[in-house]
Amino acid sequence: MVSWKSLLAAVPFIGAALAQSSQYCDPDNHICFENYVDPIYGSEIGFVFPSSTSSTEFIGQWKIPVTGKWFGITLGPGMNRNLLLVAWPNGNNIVYSARVAENYVQPTVVTGPIVTTLGFSQSSTHWKWTFRCQGCTTWSFQGIDGAIVQDSISVFGWALSTTAVDQPSNAASTFEEHDAFNLWGHNVANAHSSSYSDYLSGSGSSGTATATSTVTSTTSVQTIAPTPYDYIVVGGGTAGLVVADRLSEAGKKVLLIEKGGPSTWETGGRDQPNWLKGTELTRFDTPGLFEAMFSSNNPYWWCKDITVFAGCLLGGGSSINGMLYYYPPDSEFSQAQGWPAGWQTPNTARDKLKAKLPSTDVPSPDGKRYLDQVYDVVKTLLNSKGYNPATINDNADWKDSVYGHPAYNFVGGKRSGPLTYLRSSKTRANFNVMTYTNVIGVVRNGAAVTGVRINNTAYGGNGIVPLTTKGRVVLSAGAFGSPRILFQSGIGPSDMINLVKNDATYGPNLPPQASWINLPVGSYVSDNPSINLVFTHPSVDSYDNWQPIWDSPRTADANQYKSSQSGMFAASSPRINFWKAYNGPDNKTRYMQGTARPGAASIETSQSYNASNIFTITVYLSQGITSRGRIGIDAAMRGVPIVEPWFQDTKDKTVLLNGINDILGSMSAVPNLKLITPDLTKITVQSYVDNYGTGSMNSNHWVGSCKIGTSSSSSVVDANTKVWNTNNLFVVDASIIPGQPMSNPHASIMVVAEHAAAKILALAGGA
């Protein structure tokens, strides 16, 4: 669903700057507009008003590239609480509506404004719509009031999507989130015309507008002067925020570029349920709203250009995940795991992380644990198998037959994580951040990278953000994002680069084929295979399977969190974690991790059960797995798995089956414990695992797509995280991790980023 987000920080700049619009006279209808051209797609948006600066209507014109399946404008600085106009072609017709939204949700259609089409045409490259909008200069709907400022510069916004609406013939159709948007300053004072009535009658000529002495037939785009940086970090997620902070801390001039927008309140996010109105607590601040990330009808935080889950917003996946936070053990960085010399026992990096983000397994500020029945049931199950209780992060290296309460890095009952690094970065004058900006590729001359290319062509007139003479680029766009940028920069296997070459948008930006760099980008990928086991026990409270938490949570819990950030909503859904080492048929050690929570994502059973007592144990195979897959891009430039990584080596499946059977074999230790999925009255455990859908097996803990190593034939980056055969291009994120981490990779990725930042700064030749 749509989510037009406003760059609120840009509003003062736009209001104070020169307008980004200029005069343009349409040769087809002879109407002269105050016109704006967006710098990303080249969409043109024109307005003309009657002479009076208190007029109630205007004539508008949009000229939109055919890639724009729907287009919309907001008549104020952002989506929320402003009148919106949305339109799309449907055959030979134009379909349109006026809408409003009070939050970043699907805008609702409103009555009152009268929109009349004056002209509509289509060509092979664009569609053009001219319309009259009556009752559109002021609005009051559902308590939402506003107006266009007609005697000065007004801030408007546009949004474009390359995905068609759900019901093209229905003006009230729902639609997916835009691919791009921006705000601009429109010189409305210059848009009033004495020829307005002639324009409506169709007898208009290219007359003059009342507030200007010059009318031209050209459009212009305001160019932003480029600023060179010592370091450009691409991706404001788990790794990128750490790297950018450490580089700027060292005095380097750093630009952080993030594809998405704000998340928590501190970063500018304002997405919150009604029950949290009046607070500075958003969806992303509130740990207990984690499960609502998967049930929203407007999940704008997911990246739209890959086919698996990933977060495109400040904080990346760390702003939307369950925030399980386990310090990596030394074994995770061993050479047996694929790490080159110089990465073993990264104590300094780990200690930096601990100092920045301490761990807690009692996340509620009142020091109490909540909804702990699942912990008690699973604890009894594990005790019967010889497991031992522990505070897990007190001994990161103990991961065999151990269990404990989940560890988090929440602070004061709120999500923190790598956004803590952003907080310190933003205090420095040498640090800058761009949001809602897509990096198309790096600009390079052979081995030398000179900058990055972004989708805002107004930047420097060509969309290129330059480096200083000794500058460097660090890609931290994630296990799918960083490989795609490399492909689009002519780095990787030829089958992927040729897909880019054949793309009309990205192909022209590739370097000459002689400069392509052949590296195994996208290979050696792994992800935890995960299997859900669903149980019931009469002591368990399933917490309504987390369904009402957004719209109608339990009153006492909502009030407690709203007043003190304590209680149920101070933690995400997991209630216990456990680990056990298994020796596989190949005599290699593999580790099983388990996570248990109230509720269940899905249930398949013929047995009767009490839905209020359900809980799930998810078992994962982690460190030591030997299966590998491959990721890449498709013809639409979306990141996709090409070879799925789960159970490519059947020995991984054998070990995970042993772990599942171990757990189920101890059920008799817990009276009244009942397994409902898999339903063993109908299928065997072996059959359940053999037929488990890979869409459900995906843990979204992808690593290895830009693997670190010692040879360009089997890795993408060297021990300093520098891309082979380049001078100044680095990758630091989950993609360089050569073997699956022991636990949820949140903390492991930050340790990698801490260690890599130190190596990059120590490497000679940089700024």
Side-chain angles (χ1 to χ4, degrees):
M1 300 301 175
V2 73
S3 166
W4 292 351
K5 313 171 189 74
S6 64
L7 283 171
L8 297 179
V11 174
F13 166 76
I14 294 172
L18 293 174
Q20 296 166 285
S21 59
S22 61
Q23 283 278 307
Y24 165 73
C25 294
D26 187 328
D28 297 326
N29 56 30
H30 304 294
I31 299 176
C32 291
F33 298 94
E34 183 70 15
N35 207 54
Y36 166 76
V37 182
D38 93 69
I40 298 175
Y41 291 96
S43 304
E44 299 184 32
I45 308 157
F47 292 85
V48 60
F49 293 76
S51 297
S52 171
T53 56
S54 59
S55 59
T56 61
E57 64 174 81
F58 61 82
I59 298 173
Q61 185 179 87
W62 301 351
K63 186 178 179 182
I64 311 302
V66 293
T67 53
K69 303 305 182 185
W70 67 257
F71 189 83
I73 63 170
T74 170
L75 298 177
M79 168 186 175
N80 287 347
R81 307 186 68 82
N82 290 303
L83 180 61
L84 313 172
L85 299 175
V86 187
W88 56 86
N90 180 36
N92 293 322
N93 300 312
I94 186 75
V95 180
Y96 51 85
S97 59
R99 304 189 181 214
V100 296
E102 191 174 2
N103 210 324
Y104 296 127
V105 296
Q106 185 76 209
T108 56
V109 175
V110 294
T111 58
I114 301 172
V115 181
T116 307
T117 295
L118 302 179
F120 175 65
S121 62
Q122 300 181 82
S123 71
S124 61
T125 59
H126 290 80
W127 53 272
K128 184 169 74 172
W129 179 43
T130 308
F131 59 94
R132 181 186 187 184
C133 198
Q134 297 169 274
C136 296
T137 60
T138 63
W139 51 89
S140 181
F141 310 105
Q142 306 163 12
I144 298 174
D145 303 308
I148 297 174
V149 179
Q150 297 187 46
D151 59 356
S152 65
I153 296 170
S154 282
V155 178
F156 298 147
W158 63 265
L160 180 148
S161 176
T162 58
T163 301
V165 302
D166 298 322
Q167 298 173 290
S169 63
N170 181 1
S173 176
T174 54
F175 40 85
E176 294 298 319
E177 184 188 356
H178 54 75
D179 293 290
F181 92 105
N182 212 340
L183 304 177
W184 81 94
H186 205 92
N187 194 341
V188 177
N190 247 27
H192 296 274
S193 175
S194 59
S195 300
Y196 189 85
S197 59
D198 293 334
Y199 295 156
L200 289 177
S201 68
S203 61
S205 60
S206 297
T208 59
T210 58
T212 183
S213 58
T214 303
V215 178
T216 66
S217 60
T218 61
T219 58
S220 63
V221 178
Q222 184 180 22
T223 299
I224 303 167
T227 300
Y229 290 89
D230 297 332
Y231 285 89
I232 300 172
V233 179
V234 181
T238 307
L241 292 175
V242 176
V243 172
D245 184 49
R246 295 308 185 191
L247 295 175
S248 62
E249 180 183 54
K252 310 301 181 183
K253 188 172 185 178
V254 176
L255 173 65
L256 175 70
I257 303 178
E258 166 55 36
K259 177 184 292 186
S263 51
T264 61
W265 188 279
E266 182 182 16
T267 65
R270 296 297 182 266
D271 186 4
Q272 56 185 183
N274 287 332
W275 62 271
L276 282 175
K277 297 294 184 185
T279 72
E280 295 185 354
L281 299 166
T282 70
R283 173 193 299 275
F284 308 103
D285 290 286
T286 309
L289 288 174
F290 162 64
E291 294 286 344
M293 300 289 181
F294 304 94
S295 58
S296 171
N297 64 357
N298 176 33
Y300 59 84
W301 45 89
W302 301 122
C303 299
K304 301 300 188 293
D305 50 8
I306 66 173
T307 59
V308 301
F309 285 132
C312 277
L313 73 176
L314 282 170
S318 296
S319 287
I320 55 178
N321 64 9
M323 289 291 282
L324 292 173
Y325 180 62
Y326 293 109
Y327 302 138
D330 285 346
S331 61
E332 199 172 293
F333 290 93
S334 68
Q335 290 183 312
Q337 277 284 101
W339 288 97
W343 281 83
Q344 287 65 54
T345 318
N347 289 331
T348 300
R350 196 162 39 205
D351 288 345
K352 284 184 177 181
L353 177 64
K354 290 179 181 180
K356 192 85 170 182
L357 289 173
S359 167
T360 180
D361 63 1
V362 187
S364 180
D366 62 7
K368 299 178 182 178
R369 302 188 193 278
Y370 291 82
L371 204 70
D372 227 21
Q373 305 98 328
V374 169
Y375 177 89
D376 293 333
V377 170
V378 176
K379 173 185 71 174
T380 304
L381 192 71
L382 298 175
N383 284 342
S384 71
K385 300 297 295 184
Y387 282 71
N388 297 283
T391 300
I392 301 299
N393 277 340
D394 282 355
N395 184 353
D397 292 321
W398 184 17
K399 290 296 188 298
D400 188 13
S401 297
V402 64
Y403 66 84
H405 288 92
Y408 302 105
N409 52 32
F410 302 144
V411 176
K414 298 192 295 183
R415 185 186 294 265
S416 56
L419 289 172
T420 303
Y421 287 84
L422 179 62
R423 184 181 305 130
S424 53
S425 298
K426 290 175 72 173
T427 64
R428 304 183 186 111
N430 57 315
F431 173 84
N432 288 282
V433 60
M434 288 183 183
T435 54
Y436 297 117
T437 301
N438 185 29
V439 171
I440 295 170
V442 301
V443 181
R444 64 183 181 88
N445 181 10
V449 172
T450 58
V452 302
R453 189 184 304 275
I454 62 176
N455 59 340
N456 184 357
T457 55
Y459 194 93
N462 55 9
I464 294 176
V465 185
L467 290 171
T468 56
T469 304
K470 294 184 178 181
R472 291 165 167 173
V473 171
V474 181
L475 301 182
S476 297
F480 282 80
S482 290
R484 180 174 52 210
I485 293 171
L486 291 175
F487 299 148
Q488 292 171 182
S489 306
I491 301 172
S494 60
D495 58 344
M496 294 294 101
I497 303 177
N498 276 315
L499 285 173
V500 178
K501 181 182 178 181
N502 294 331
D503 184 89
T505 300
Y506 296 98
N509 296 320
L510 279 174
Q513 188 161 346
S515 294
W516 292 4
I517 300 174
N518 181 23
L519 293 173
V521 179
S523 299
Y524 307 111
V525 172
S526 69
D527 176 41
N528 304 108
S530 60
I531 304 289
N532 286 332
L533 310 172
V534 184
F535 302 83
T536 67
H537 191 272
S539 71
V540 167
D541 176 359
S542 69
Y543 209 64
D544 310 307
N545 207 17
W546 306 96
Q547 293 305 305
I549 56 175
W550 181 261
D551 293 318
S552 54
R554 296 181 186 180
T555 302
D557 293 338
N559 289 343
Q560 182 183 10
Y561 186 76
K562 186 174 182 179
S563 64
S564 65
Q565 287 75 70
S566 296
M568 269 296 305
F569 284 93
S572 58
S573 53
R575 288 300 182 267
I576 188 172
N577 284 115
F578 58 91
W579 291 260
K580 185 175 175 64
Y582 286 90
N583 193 43
D586 51 5
N587 289 320
K588 293 181 178 179
T589 300
R590 294 168 174 84
Y591 288 82
M592 179 185 72
Q593 178 189 348
T595 301
R597 66 176 184 87
S602 64
I603 298 172
E604 296 179 17
T605 189
S606 62
Q607 304 175 60
S608 61
Y609 65 93
N610 187 337
S612 63
N613 298 143
I614 58 174
F615 72 96
T616 301
I617 297 177
T618 303
V619 290
Y620 310 81
L621 208 60
S622 61
Q623 184 176 308
I625 61 174
T626 48
S627 296
R628 295 292 187 271
R630 184 189 177 198
I631 68 162
I633 53 175
D634 62 15
M637 300 294 106
R638 296 179 306 170
V640 295
I642 296 175
V643 177
E644 295 181 334
W646 312 287
F647 296 156
Q648 292 293 331
D649 186 340
T650 58
K651 292 181 280 294
D652 286 342
K653 181 188 287 188
T654 298
V655 171
L656 192 57
L657 272 165
N658 289 343
I660 291 171
N661 285 320
D662 260 1
I663 292 169
L664 300 182
S666 60
M667 284 181 59
S668 60
V670 185
N672 301 314
L673 181 62
K674 181 180 181 179
L675 176 70
I676 58 173
T677 301
D679 183 349
L680 297 186
T681 68
K682 301 291 184 181
I683 60 173
T684 64
V685 174
Q686 178 78 52
S687 176
Y688 179 63
V689 173
D690 285 345
N691 294 286
Y692 205 82
T694 54
S696 300
M697 193 178 297
N698 175 0
S699 299
N700 283 298
H701 296 161
W702 301 82
V703 300
S705 52
C706 296
K707 187 170 78 81
I708 197 170
T710 57
S711 168
S712 62
S713 63
S714 58
S715 61
V716 177
V717 300
D718 64 18
N720 292 309
T721 73
K722 184 167 66 71
V723 175
W724 291 106
N725 302 320
T726 70
N727 298 337
N728 55 338
L729 178 60
F730 299 78
V731 181
V732 181
D733 55 27
S735 71
I736 72 169
I737 298 176
Q740 199 65 38
M742 179 69 75
S743 312
N744 299 66
H746 176 60
S748 297
I749 294 169
M750 286 191 280
V751 169
V752 167
E754 285 277 15
H755 197 65
K759 281 184 166 292
I760 293 170
L761 285 168
L763 186 64

